[in-house]
């Protein structure tokens, strides 16, 4: 059996009781180590808590060595640990499909992820649209496919959860070209960088999916003791000192419920100023009034 086990967001002890029981009985235990990090624990802490070896599974192993992970799965139990929920921000569908092809049974043990824990900021989960990912820009590569999804969300009034890039065990272009297995230090996108990149893409696209005055919520270290939220305009948050990772960003939709707004006031510097931001954004992005079609007189 292949077990996909969610670890939650922060502590070694965030794993469920059932998940822990499974980890203890499996022949091999892999920790997916490239899409997120457990903020209050590392591999050694997990091994001490589980009382057994944990094998780090980097991007190369997961994407190119799934048969190695699944080896013996027809007769042995194998655990694949994922920070958050196995089917949250990253589905690992390739691994599941390969297990099916090999006739290996699969079971999932769910846990909290950013996709549901983000409700702690006070915005209603039912009011979120498509989630997007924002990657680090380079001088020559500034992908903007996320922009259209923000536009779609905003048109129907929904909030957008923006997951910020992390770089773990990544090679520079030069080292990759030369075939040198030298990896860059880990990098985690912060709120300031994310907001600056979003403004840059709006300036390039100029389709007014949002503006620098669009209200947003910075989400930092969600689920940890240092969890913080900060609400302000996109421009204001370019100056926010967001601190240690991990971070996410929420861009508000044009339909903000009164209860959501009241909750967000806890995270603003100036209540009246933020209220004006929200009202101005709603007016700015108000869709055109519906006009009934003219009657067809051809009959």
């Amino acid at each position: 059996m292949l077990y996909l086990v969610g670890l939650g967001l922060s502590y070694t002890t965030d794993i469920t009781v059932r998940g822990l029981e499974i980890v203890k009985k499996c022949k091999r235990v892999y920790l997916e180590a490239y899409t997120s990090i457990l903020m209050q624990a590392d591999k050694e802490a997990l091994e001490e808590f589980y009382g057994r070896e944990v094998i780090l599974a980097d991007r190369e192993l997961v994407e190119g060595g799934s048969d190695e992970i699944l080896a013996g799965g027809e007769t042995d139990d194998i655990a694949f640990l994922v920070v958050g929920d196995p089917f949250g921000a990253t589905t690992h569908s390739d691994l599941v499909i390969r297990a099916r092809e090999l006739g290996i049974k699969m079971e999932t043990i769910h846990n909290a992820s950013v996709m549901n824990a983000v409700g702690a900021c006070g915005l209603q989960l039912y009011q979120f649209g498509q989630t997007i990912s924002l990657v680090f820009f380079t001088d020559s590569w500034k992908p903007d496919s996320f922009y259209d999804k923000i536009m779609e969300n905003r048109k129907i009034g929904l909030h957008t959860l923006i997951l910020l890039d992390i770089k773990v065990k990544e090679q520079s272009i030069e080292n990759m070209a030369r075939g040198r297995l030298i990896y860059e230090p880990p990098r985690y996108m912060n709120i300031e960088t994310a907001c600056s990149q979003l403004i840059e893409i709006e300036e390039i696209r100029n389709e007014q999916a949002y503006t620098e005055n669009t209200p947003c919520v910075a989400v930092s270290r969600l689920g940890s003791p240092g969890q913080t939220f900060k609400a302000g305009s996109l421009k204001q948050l370019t100056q926010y000192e967001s601190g240690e990772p991990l971070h996410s960003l929420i861009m508000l939709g044009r339909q903000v419920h009164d209860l959501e707004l009241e909750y967000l006031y806890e995270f603003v510097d100036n209540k009246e100023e933020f209220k004006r931001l929200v009202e101005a954004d709603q007016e700015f992005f108000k869709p055109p009034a519906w006009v009934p079609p003219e009657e067809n007189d051809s009959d």
Side-chain angles (χ1 to χ4, degrees):
M1 178 81 78
L2 169 67
Y3 292 97
L4 299 184
V5 182
L7 297 183
L9 294 171
S10 189
Y11 295 95
T12 56
T13 50
D14 282 347
I15 190 172
T16 64
V17 173
R18 180 161 159 263
L20 181 59
E21 291 173 345
I22 287 170
V23 167
K24 288 180 176 293
K25 76 170 187 175
C26 285
K27 185 170 183 178
R28 296 193 309 280
V29 178
Y30 294 91
L31 172 64
E32 189 266 89
Y34 66 92
T35 61
S36 191
I37 58 171
L38 206 60
M39 288 176 284
Q40 299 295 310
D42 54 17
K43 173 179 176 291
E44 290 70 25
L46 293 178
E47 288 180 326
E48 182 179 355
F49 184 64
Y50 301 153
R52 55 167 311 140
E53 179 189 10
V54 173
I55 305 167
L56 286 180
D58 58 19
R59 185 187 298 273
E60 295 170 6
L61 178 58
V62 177
E63 295 182 350
S66 58
D67 285 355
E68 178 182 339
I69 295 173
L70 297 170
E74 302 87 347
T75 55
D76 298 325
D77 288 329
I78 301 164
F80 187 78
L81 312 183
V82 181
V83 175
D85 184 87
F87 291 97
T90 304
T91 63
H92 299 295
S93 55
D94 289 346
L95 185 63
V96 174
I97 291 171
R98 184 57 182 153
R100 289 174 179 169
E101 292 173 347
L102 295 173
I104 298 172
K105 296 179 181 179
M106 190 273 293
E107 187 173 338
T108 303
I109 295 83
H110 294 285
N111 210 319
S113 79
V114 63
M115 304 292 283
N116 55 15
V118 74
C121 74
L123 296 176
Q124 299 170 5
L125 294 180
Y126 286 176
Q127 298 300 318
F128 279 78
Q130 302 170 89
T131 297
I132 66 166
S133 296
L134 184 64
V135 301
F136 281 109
F137 288 173
T138 68
D139 291 339
S140 59
W141 187 61
K142 298 178 181 181
D144 64 355
S145 59
F146 66 83
Y147 185 90
D148 297 319
K149 293 184 178 180
I150 292 179
M151 177 73 85
E152 291 170 4
N153 287 345
R154 299 263 289 162
K155 281 183 176 179
I156 55 178
L158 300 180
H159 311 311
T160 303
L161 173 60
I162 304 170
L163 304 178
L164 308 189
D165 198 10
I166 73 171
K167 298 289 188 184
V168 178
K169 203 177 180 182
E170 297 276 344
Q171 292 178 272
S172 68
I173 295 176
E174 180 184 355
N175 285 330
M176 193 179 302
R178 295 176 179 274
R180 298 184 298 209
L181 291 177
I182 301 174
Y183 299 101
E184 300 293 297
R187 289 194 298 153
Y188 306 92
M189 185 182 291
N190 59 26
I191 298 297
E192 304 91 295
T193 299
C195 293
S196 297
Q197 290 190 177
L198 287 166
I199 291 174
E200 183 177 358
I201 291 300
E202 176 54 53
E203 291 173 348
I204 294 171
R205 293 286 294 263
N206 195 29
E207 297 172 30
Q208 297 187 322
Y210 50 86
T211 74
E212 63 179 26
N213 292 319
T214 295
C216 298
V217 181
V219 181
S220 299
R221 297 167 295 280
L222 185 64
S224 78
Q227 170 180 293
T228 60
F229 303 106
K230 184 68 173 181
S233 72
L234 195 59
K235 180 67 173 178
Q236 288 170 340
L237 292 177
T238 62
Q239 304 300 315
Y240 178 50
E241 297 180 3
S242 52
E244 294 296 312
L246 295 168
H247 306 284
S248 301
L249 183 70
I250 304 166
M251 185 175 291
L252 270 61
R254 58 177 171 80
Q255 299 182 124
V256 181
H257 192 279
D258 289 344
L259 287 177
E260 292 180 303
L261 190 57
E262 188 66 33
Y263 203 110
L264 289 177
Y265 287 152
E266 177 70 19
F267 314 125
V268 303
D269 291 328
N270 186 301
K271 175 179 174 179
E272 292 303 318
E273 179 186 1
F274 187 74
K275 183 178 181 180
R276 286 193 296 270
L277 276 176
V278 172
E279 291 173 347
D281 186 67
Q282 291 173 341
E283 187 65 28
F284 169 79
F285 211 82
K286 183 183 294 184
W290 182 77
V291 177
E294 295 182 8
E295 292 185 7
N296 190 341
D297 296 330
S298 60
D299 293 340

